[in-house]
C-alpha cells in the first residue's frame, strides 16, 4: 500500500443504537477498518454492539483498540502492522 492508503480504508461511524450492527459486521467481514464512536449510544445497546462486533472481529483474526472513552478501532491483524495505522492509533489514543 502507498503511504496513508490504510487511513483511507477507515470507515468512521457514529453508533447511536444497535440497528446497524449487521451492517457494521459485514464491513468487518469485508476487511474494512472501522472507527466507531459510541458516545451517543445508550450503554446497554453499545455493550451489545461491541460484544457482537468483537466476536466478528475475533473470527476474522482482528483486534480492537480503544482510542478514547467510547471510541474503538476494529481491524484485522495484518492492518495493525501498517506504520500509518500505528501512527493513527497513537495520535488518537491520547
Amino acid at each position: 500500500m502507498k503511504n496513508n492508503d490504510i487511513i483511507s480504508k477507515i470507515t468512521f461511524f457514529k453508533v447511536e443504537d444497535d440497528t446497524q450492527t449487521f451492517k457494521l459486521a459485514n464491513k468487518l467481514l469485508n476487511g474494512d477498518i472501522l472507527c466507531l464512536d459510541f458516545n451517543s449510544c445508550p450503554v446497554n445497546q453499545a455493550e451489545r454492539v461491541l460484544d457482537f462486533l468483537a466476536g466478528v472481529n475475533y473470527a476474522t483474526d482482528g483486534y480492537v483498540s480503544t482510542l478514547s472513552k467510547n471510541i474503538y478501532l476494529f481491524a484485522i491483524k495484518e492492518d495493525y502492522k501498517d506504520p500509518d495505522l500505528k501512527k493513527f492509533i497513537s495520535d488518537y489514543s491520547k
Side-chain angles (χ1 to χ4, degrees):
M1 279 191 160
K2 292 180 184 172
N3 196 21
N4 287 327
D5 279 352
I6 194 88
I7 303 306
S8 67
K9 282 181 56 178
I10 299 173
T11 299
F12 295 88
F13 193 83
K14 186 174 186 174
V15 181
E16 296 181 352
D17 55 38
D18 60 2
T19 60
Q20 299 293 316
T21 304
F22 294 118
K23 177 184 174 184
L24 295 170
N26 285 329
K27 288 187 170 294
L28 286 177
L29 291 171
N30 287 330
D32 291 2
I33 301 170
L34 298 180
C35 185
L36 304 179
D37 178 346
F38 287 89
N39 283 306
S40 298
C41 188
V43 173
N44 64 333
Q45 291 184 40
E47 289 172 350
R48 275 197 301 257
V49 174
L50 281 168
D51 287 346
F52 187 81
L53 294 179
V56 171
N57 207 38
Y58 175 80
T60 59
D61 202 22
Y63 295 112
V64 180
S65 294
T66 303
L67 299 182
S68 65
K69 185 177 180 187
N70 298 321
I71 299 178
Y72 302 89
L73 184 84
F74 293 78
I76 60 172
K77 185 187 324 182
E78 192 64 31
D79 289 335
Y80 272 96
K81 295 177 183 177
D82 187 283
D84 289 329
L85 188 61
K86 288 179 183 179
K87 181 174 179 352
F88 175 85
I89 292 168
S90 175
D91 288 349
Y92 291 97
S93 293
K94 298 177 180 177

